[in-house]
Amino acid sequence: MFISRRAGLLAAVFSAGLAFGSPVAAESLADAIALAYQTNPTLQAQRATLRALDESTVQARSGWRPSLSASASGQYTETRTPQQSGATLVDSNGDGIPDTAAGSGIVERNAAAATFNLSQPIWTGGRVASAVSAAQADVLAGQENLRRIEAEVLGGVIVAYVDVRRDIEALRIRQDNVQVLSRQLEESDARFEVGEITRTDVAQSQARLAAAEAQMRSAEAQLAISRASYASIVGQNPGDLEPEPPLAPILPPSVEAAFEAAAINNPQVRQAMYNAQAAEARVAGARAERMPNVGLNASLGWSGLAEPFEPSDYSRNITGRATLTVPLFTGGLTNSRVRAARARETASELAVEQARRTALQNVTQAWSQLLAARANIGSTDEQVRAARIAAEGVRQEQQVGLRTTIDVLNAEQELRAAELAQISARRDEYVAAASVLSAVGRLDAANLIPDVDRYDAQANSRDLRFTWGWTPWEEPIALVDSAFVPVTEELPRDTPMATAN
């Protein structure tokens, strides 16, 4: 598997030179996102981590459920008593041969026992309820962390996609530049032969052509790098990439709307808020250590001789017991745990504020980059238009002797630089738009690929709710135990928006 994947990545590198040949397969940005969403190992690993975290709720709820255990034991005892001086010999086994003395001998005993023990908590003082509430908050925080990882992966797909398209276009521009400069060199050679220009003009054309060829090789290498990055995150080499769809339908209409959306949807903010709820539940759990504990215990056991085994001779013991445990003095341990839990709760509340500030900073930065990129697109479009007119004019003026060879070469160089700046500006604008979506919590599969079957992060948690070990009397016990424990609340989210395809 590793060898085949490595070969695929190497193929991405060595196939860069075939970018303008026969396409591998036409694919859209939605296709790339869907493939990465289903197969990216980072995303798959995070989903598995979340499923493991879901089990913490089941483990916490087991504190309300009965536990049944069985034990069995067998015992053999041999007691040897040493012979005393002057003791009378005794025939212990009746075979007519004295073998032991009075006051000495060997005594053998054996015993067997089997026991079933059943225990059922009735009230834990909120200990279990607090653990369940904290586990539920942890699971919700884990779901938000999965959303964060998903946004990072899908954002990486977008960057890889537009980078490949940009580098393909950049290589085309470099190749066109080499072709134009090759014709310019041929023209310079012809004009030099008839004495219209000097050797200097020819050398200038040769130098520019050599530089253009070096730039074309660099563009090929950059395209190979971008293709390898694409294959790494998407899972296959890029084919003939279609133009990326606009992200405007799911972008906030203003920076104020972006701030409001980030406060509700940003996964880091929501994760911090769920962590704060978990910390609050753990404070309640630490306080519950001061409360009494009520439970029921029952045992059923049998005991008798192991050898000879006679079931009818075994005695049976049945025991039922109700236990009330009241903690009186723990040497300050409980109070220390309460203070530690309160300190962690304070830290988690401050982390919420820090997450909000970071989210606002990210929105501001991404929105500013988006505005700058949009302005650059307008500027580079005008630059390309003007540079194209200027290059054509300089070539025509050269024909009538008003311009020199170096003027033509400079005009061509300015035109290529403007075209490269134009494609970079368009790439930067799209990446900046994706960064805004990530900052406001909308860079997810629900918005980018609404028609693809999406991973349900809550399905596993729902399936575990009534799994093996659940008992019908668990619910009333949980209701009583949760009377004074904070309940984990799921935070509201915006309805996903569909992007235009």
Side-chain angles (χ1 to χ4, degrees):
M1 182 65 181
F2 172 77
I3 295 177
S4 62
R5 178 56 59 86
R6 182 184 178 191
L9 295 180
L10 290 176
V13 175
F14 290 110
S15 62
L18 304 177
F20 299 100
S22 300
V24 176
E27 58 185 289
S28 64
L29 178 57
D31 295 332
I33 291 176
L35 182 59
Y37 182 75
Q38 295 168 354
T39 64
N40 184 270
T42 300
L43 198 51
Q44 295 283 3
Q46 189 59 39
R47 290 168 182 168
T49 300
L50 179 58
R51 290 193 295 272
L53 185 60
D54 289 338
E55 298 291 344
S56 64
T57 303
V58 179
Q59 295 165 13
R61 295 186 69 90
S62 65
W64 289 323
R65 298 171 180 175
S67 61
L68 177 65
S69 63
S71 62
S73 63
Q75 179 179 342
Y76 169 79
T77 305
E78 179 183 280
T79 304
R80 292 178 177 267
T81 304
Q83 180 178 347
Q84 298 179 2
S85 173
T88 302
L89 295 178
V90 177
D91 182 7
S92 61
N93 54 12
D95 59 359
I97 302 174
D99 50 5
T100 61
S104 66
I106 300 174
V107 179
E108 296 178 342
R109 296 185 179 87
N110 65 80
T115 306
F116 289 96
N117 291 292
L118 175 67
S119 63
Q120 171 63 62
I122 300 300
W123 186 55
T124 68
R127 295 173 180 84
V128 175
S130 299
V132 170
S133 183
Q136 291 172 342
D138 288 339
V139 169
L140 292 173
Q143 293 175 4
E144 296 303 324
N145 189 52
L146 176 61
R147 289 184 61 229
R148 179 184 65 82
I149 298 297
E150 178 182 330
E152 291 179 358
V153 171
L154 300 189
V157 173
I158 291 175
V159 171
Y161 191 96
V162 296
D163 281 353
V164 171
R165 281 182 43 80
R166 176 202 61 190
D167 294 338
I168 289 176
E169 188 67 16
L171 179 57
R172 182 194 63 78
I173 293 172
R174 293 299 186 187
Q175 290 174 336
D176 290 345
N177 191 37
V178 168
Q179 294 175 359
V180 170
L181 293 178
S182 296
R183 291 193 298 268
Q184 179 66 34
L185 178 58
E186 293 173 358
E187 182 181 342
S188 297
D189 287 336
R191 295 181 66 187
F192 173 73
E193 292 295 333
V194 298
E196 292 184 5
I197 59 176
T198 66
R199 174 63 67 181
T200 301
D201 295 315
V202 176
Q204 290 172 339
S205 297
Q206 291 173 339
R208 289 296 175 89
L209 177 59
E213 290 175 343
Q215 292 170 346
M216 184 181 68
R217 299 292 179 263
S218 297
E220 290 175 348
Q222 181 58 49
L223 176 57
I225 294 172
S226 297
R227 287 173 61 86
S229 298
Y230 180 98
S232 175
I233 192 169
V234 176
Q236 70 178 18
N237 293 331
D240 184 13
L241 303 184
E242 299 177 359
E244 54 272 8
L247 296 177
I250 55 176
L251 278 174
S254 64
V255 66
E256 291 78 10
F259 288 146
E260 294 176 0
I264 298 175
N265 294 323
N266 184 274
Q268 287 92 332
V269 174
R270 292 171 61 88
Q271 183 180 2
M273 295 175 72
Y274 284 130
N275 287 337
Q277 291 191 38
E280 182 183 6
R282 289 188 171 95
V283 171
R287 289 173 175 167
E289 295 297 328
R290 300 168 176 164
M291 302 296 291
N293 209 0
V294 180
L296 298 178
N297 300 90
S299 64
L300 173 62
W302 294 267
S303 60
L305 292 176
E307 176 64 31
F309 178 70
E310 293 292 343
S312 59
D313 293 338
Y314 273 61
S315 61
R316 185 178 66 181
N317 301 313
I318 300 176
T319 303
R321 181 173 62 253
T323 304
L324 172 64
T325 304
V326 181
L328 298 178
F329 180 70
T330 61
L333 177 61
T334 301
N335 290 339
S336 177
R337 288 175 175 172
V338 170
R339 291 193 298 269
R342 285 176 176 171
R344 285 189 286 268
E345 181 185 22
T346 300
S348 63
E349 291 172 350
L350 294 174
V352 172
E353 179 60 25
Q354 181 59 47
R356 288 196 180 104
R357 295 185 182 186
T358 301
L360 295 180
Q361 178 187 4
N362 291 338
V363 169
T364 302
Q365 180 178 349
W367 193 268
S368 299
Q369 290 174 343
L370 178 61
L371 295 180
R374 287 175 175 173
N376 287 341
I377 289 178
S379 299
T380 54
D381 288 347
E382 178 62 22
Q383 182 182 359
V384 169
R385 185 194 66 81
R388 188 171 288 120
I389 295 174
E392 180 63 27
V394 170
R395 283 193 294 268
Q396 293 178 358
E397 291 172 358
Q398 184 198 27
Q399 300 298 325
V400 296
L402 298 178
R403 294 284 184 173
T404 63
T405 301
I406 192 64
D407 292 332
V408 175
L409 296 175
N410 288 339
E412 287 292 337
Q413 185 177 19
E414 291 177 359
L415 174 58
R416 304 309 171 193
E419 291 175 340
L420 292 172
Q422 183 185 49
I423 62 174
S424 294
R426 290 174 179 173
R427 178 265 181 196
D428 294 343
E429 190 272 341
Y430 204 85
V431 172
S435 297
V436 171
L437 293 178
S438 178
V440 301
R442 292 182 183 174
L443 193 66
D444 52 23
N447 287 301
L448 298 177
I449 45 174
D451 297 331
V452 174
D453 290 337
R454 296 188 295 275
Y455 179 79
D456 189 352
Q458 298 179 344
N460 185 66
S461 182
R462 290 194 299 267
D463 293 341
L464 294 175
R465 179 64 179 84
F466 296 101
T467 187
W468 170 255
W470 179 85
T471 55
W473 57 85
E474 173 184 336
E475 304 306 321
I477 294 176
L479 184 63
V480 174
D481 201 45
S482 304
F484 302 103
V485 174
V487 179
T488 298
E489 297 181 0
E490 189 169 356
L491 303 174
R493 282 183 54 191
D494 285 349
T495 302
M497 306 169 65
T499 182
N501 293 321

